[in-house]
Amino acid sequence: MIHNMPWLRAVPVTAISLVLTACGGGGNDAPAPEIKVLSSRADFVSGGDALVEVAVPAGVNASDIKVDVGGRDVSSAFALRNGRLTGVVAGLANGDNTITAQGNGIKPSSLKVTNFPIGGPIISGPQVQPWVCATSTAQPESGTTPSSNGSGLSSAATDAQCNIKTETRYFYKTRTAGCTNVLPDPTPPATAPATACFKPYDPAAPAPADLATTTTDAGVTVPYIVRRERGTVNRGIYDIAVLFDPSKPWTATAPQSTWNGKVLYQFGSSTGQPRKQFRPQGSWADDKSLSRGYMVVQNSLTDSQYNSNRVLMTETVMMMKERITKNYGEIKFTMGAGCSGGSINQNTASSIMPGLLDGIQPTCTYPDSETTTMEVLDCVLLVEAYQKPEWLALMTASGYTQAQINAKKAAINGHVDQTACHAWNNLFGNNGKPGNFFARVVSDNATGAITQLPTSVNNCGLPASVVYDPVTNPNGPRCGALDSAVAVFGKVPGTIYPRDTRDNVGVQYGLKAFVSGGITAEEFVTLNERIGGATRDSVLSASRTIADQEGLAIAYRAGIVTSGKQLAKTAIIDMRGWDDSTIIPLPIGLAGSAAGLTGIHHTWRSFQLRERMDKANGNHDNHVMWRFGRTGFVPSTAVALDSFLTMDKWLTNLKADTSATPIEQKVVKAKPAEAFDFCYLSSDATQSTKVTNRAQCDTDPFLRPASSPRQIAGGPLAEDILKCQLKPLNVADYAPQALSATQLQRMQAVFPGGVCDWSKPGVAQQEAAGALNFSAGGGQPIAAAPVSAPR
């Protein structure tokens, strides 16, 4: 349940019960009943309604208690159910509302409830504008009118917050063998294949002859009928899917037995920041969870491709869980799932707001977006540096073959080969661009040659004439990743620029490659002379990139840079596949696009996440890693099911522990026997033998972790230092290699303030402070949850 989150906790229910019992009951001696909002914190209600419980004092009849909101009687919404007086209070006004419970001979009590619009925001701060609402059918761009996406809903948005009327549809699972588990309700003009496992269901028609049945993990056998609810929350379009009997009612206080009370929250991949409303990118038609009675949930603003503001993403998860609780019933636990950007969102939500997700299953793992951006920027700078005349002249003068040149690049980059940086450059190298741009892409994986594409685009998805241009439209909407989270990071005072967390001042690129002899002294010096950086508009510059200290502090304090300490409060099964190159053939004989590889989901990232937990907690006991590499980075159906069932058991154990033990200890204590580290060797054709010897796993080229440009520059595996502290350049750090006097002078010119001192914490680095409220800017600590009080 949402109110069980540490950051939502108020007075323990057990303590209240003891107090009420001790006070006796009835008459004038009856204590004031406690009022609790079950669907969210009392000060974080949205959409005008809330699931509320009134604790009945001992000896008092529930029917004697009257409940009102600001003098409006809402007692009829309440009934005694399973010994608890609960009801959904509707009609809450935006802003503060007062719920009062009282009765004859009972001391009255009240609770202040703060309600926000269903379109948000609550804690994420002012919403970015403009924002293009989805339409029933997608509309093309016309002049300065932007295109819109198909919503999958029949109604139009009703207001500027893109609120669209909620709709429900029913689907059933067919018994037809060999059916395809795909999304059965794609946005027109796309249509679901005739072989789809889920098909439209009409409650008014006779039951289809091929209607399957399923037995939930609670032992309830039902027709396999799914209710899919679609609507809008926080300007995102959501889907909620769950087993449902259309002939029976369902309320938050009396859910159908088809639901086991568990939620699988799906987070979408990639990363981006379009100024548009989308449908979720994933499929709610997840048989392994739906068939067992799980509710499957997604929202486009928790898809990283459509939203890279991690505070907004986390807020959206919070609001979605509130909607579920007050419409379907209280949640037993919430399990996350998602790859790549979906892993970022799971890890970051668990860092920003621990307890929001009870357990997560990141695949293609990255700890967070800020430190991933660090590698992207390094790769962009490196691929450009390798094409500059000074570097090319060195390669030519030395008479290196292309293979030898690429080996040097791999040594500097820290990757398996040069293609990983090519992939970062091509896929996400332009994500920080605030206006229109012509993408520069590596067009030859062998030579690293760069081609500029002929068509300009922008990250907002808006007409070119509308968006920011430093000369012709300086006040137009800015479209970079940091711009999408300007409400979180704030602006540099007196400017239009969001505070920047990117930095490479003091970074000695290729340091370890030089020390080990992988590159020469001249190559090392030339590289660092020519690497440069990026401006606030993400334009390549001869100068290094400089972060804003205030922006750095916010990234750490808010948990946007994922905190190992915060992650210890969440059960984690990390499914790590291989995607370290786009040219090396997999054991199955495929490489590059033929194998679906992107070259960016590197094995070392899972170890980076684990290192943060080890540093913060002295262990990573809540983190389990399952490695596989034979077929790439996407887990097989068998591995995904194994993870799902193991996490289900883990979270079931966790929720059974109602003790006052700290959550970090409870998570470890609840870990089932199946939750242990293992790998499937790439030589294992059936991927069925679990190898638990890490050394053996690490000998497999498709399992062992490589590295990154920052680690080759001397940085830590945790890669949680956005901006390093500096120290004087010391030639002893290069032993057994040496620089000439001239080369040393050139290095000192590159690093006049010194080089990175990786033995020290990063600039402004600090522990995450827990959930912060950005509604007033700057990120203020969230006060304790409101509790009711006698009047």
Side-chain angles (χ1 to χ4, degrees), residues 636-647:
S636 67
T637 300
V639 170
L641 177 59
D642 193 3
S643 174
F644 173 80
L645 295 177
T646 301
M647 183 58 74

Side-chain angles (χ1 to χ4, degrees), residues 542-555:
S543 301
R544 299 278 181 128
T545 307
I546 303 175
D548 298 298
Q549 186 159 332
E550 297 88 346
L552 296 170
I554 289 170

Side-chain angles (χ1 to χ4, degrees), residues 310-565:
R310 309 304 164 179
V311 175
L312 171 60
M313 174 276 299
T314 303
E315 173 187 70
T316 303
V317 177
M318 177 182 75
M319 294 175 71
M320 286 299 300
K321 291 188 66 174
E322 180 203 15
R323 181 170 187 85
I324 294 164
T325 304
K326 66 190 181 186
N327 285 280
Y328 291 88
E330 295 179 83
I331 298 170
K332 289 182 179 178
F333 59 71
T334 303
M335 179 193 305
C339 168
S340 193
S343 73
I344 288 176
N345 281 351
Q346 290 178 80
N347 288 320
T348 321
S350 300
S351 174
I352 292 173
M353 206 172 276
L356 196 60
L357 302 171
D358 299 291
I360 59 176
Q361 304 168 94
T363 58
C364 341
T365 300
Y366 303 108
D368 56 63
S369 56
E370 296 303 301
T371 54
T372 303
T373 296
M374 187 161 65
E375 185 175 31
V376 176
L377 177 60
D378 285 345
C379 278
V380 169
L381 298 178
L382 287 166
V383 298
E384 291 282 354
Y386 297 145
Q387 295 302 307
K388 290 179 178 178
E390 295 84 352
W391 179 267
L392 293 174
L394 280 178
M395 300 299 102
T396 300
S398 297
Y400 297 135
T401 65
Q402 191 62 57
Q404 289 173 319
I405 294 172
N406 288 338
K408 289 181 178 291
K409 292 178 181 179
I412 295 166
N413 300 352
H415 299 148
V416 171
D417 60 36
Q418 76 281 3
T419 66
C421 265
H422 297 172
W424 272 130
N425 179 86
N426 292 3
L427 293 172
F428 294 103
N430 296 296
N431 205 46
K433 301 280 190 182
N436 300 301
F437 62 89
F438 295 89
R440 288 174 56 80
V441 300
V442 176
S443 52
D444 188 322
N445 264 332
T447 66
I450 297 173
T451 300
Q452 183 167 294
L453 300 183
T455 304
S456 75
V457 293
N458 64 72
N459 288 312
C460 287
L462 297 175
S465 61
V466 172
V467 303
Y468 165 83
D469 183 277
V471 177
T472 62
N473 193 13
N475 296 315
R478 291 174 55 89
C479 309
L482 288 165
D483 298 289
S484 72
V486 69
V488 173
F489 289 104
K491 292 182 180 180
V492 176
T495 77
I496 61 173
Y497 303 115
R499 291 187 175 118
D500 208 326
T501 60
R502 300 170 299 172
D503 193 281
N504 69 339
V505 174
V507 176
Q508 299 184 82
Y509 290 95
L511 174 62
K512 291 183 178 179
F514 170 47
V515 170
S516 66
I519 60 176
T520 68
E522 185 59 28
E523 290 161 359
F524 175 57
V525 174
T526 300
L527 177 67
N528 281 284
E529 285 178 325
R530 303 304 300 156
I531 193 75
T535 68
R536 292 188 183 276
D537 279 350
S538 292
V539 176
L540 294 176
S541 167
S543 301
R544 299 278 181 128
T545 307
I546 303 175
D548 298 298
Q549 186 159 332
E550 297 88 346
L552 296 170
I554 289 170
Y556 289 117
R557 188 159 49 91
I560 298 169
V561 173
T562 298
S563 159
K565 181 177 179 181

Side-chain angles (χ1 to χ4, degrees), residues 616-762:
N617 312 310
N619 66 76
H620 53 263
D621 294 344
N622 66 306
H623 180 257
V624 174
M625 193 188 307
W626 294 356
R627 282 189 278 171
F628 51 89
R630 182 178 176 83
T631 56
F633 63 92
V634 178
S636 67
T637 300
V639 170
L641 177 59
D642 193 3
S643 174
F644 173 80
L645 295 177
T646 301
M647 183 58 74
D648 177 87
K649 186 176 292 188
W650 196 341
L651 299 183
T652 299
N653 294 344
L654 178 62
K655 291 302 175 179
D657 185 350
T658 58
S659 70
T661 304
I663 185 62
E664 297 89 341
Q665 296 176 29
K666 291 169 85 170
V667 168
V668 175
K669 182 181 177 183
K671 187 163 65 172
E674 298 92 329
F676 57 87
D677 284 1
F678 69 82
C679 74
Y680 289 121
L681 297 175
S682 61
S683 58
D684 179 3
T686 63
Q687 295 287 278
S688 58
T689 302
K690 295 180 178 180
V691 176
T692 57
N693 184 313
R694 175 175 172 178
Q696 185 179 358
C697 296
D698 285 348
T699 61
D700 189 317
F702 294 94
L703 298 176
R704 62 171 171 252
S707 187
S708 71
R710 286 291 165 113
Q711 290 172 62
I712 298 301
L717 172 59
E719 240 174 72
D720 52 359
I721 296 176
L722 296 173
K723 179 179 178 63
C724 64
Q725 295 193 55
L726 302 178
K727 65 178 183 179
L729 190 151
N730 186 351
V731 293
D733 293 340
Y734 305 133
Q737 308 300 331
L739 298 177
S740 70
T742 301
Q743 289 168 337
L744 183 59
Q745 288 178 344
R746 290 163 59 192
M747 286 293 282
Q748 288 171 333
V750 173
F751 301 106
V755 296
C756 286
D757 185 348
W758 298 111
S759 68
K760 295 179 180 178

Side-chain angles (χ1 to χ4, degrees), residues 183-242:
L183 188 66
D185 57 341
T187 301
T191 57
T195 57
C197 292
F198 288 89
K199 296 183 177 181
Y201 177 83
D202 182 357
D210 60 341
L211 173 61
T213 60
T214 187
T215 300
T216 72
D217 61 12
V220 179
T221 300
V222 294
Y224 202 153
I225 301 169
V226 176
R227 178 186 192 261
R228 191 269 291 142
E229 174 187 328
R230 177 169 295 150
T232 54
V233 164
N234 211 15
R235 301 201 303 183
I237 298 175
Y238 71 82
D239 282 340
I240 297 174
V242 67

Side-chain angles (χ1 to χ4, degrees), residues 67-74 78 89-93 97-100 113:
V67 185
D68 71 76
V69 178
R72 174 171 57 91
D73 189 357
V74 294
F78 288 80
V89 175
L92 298 173
N97 301 259
T98 300
I99 299 178
T100 301
V113 173

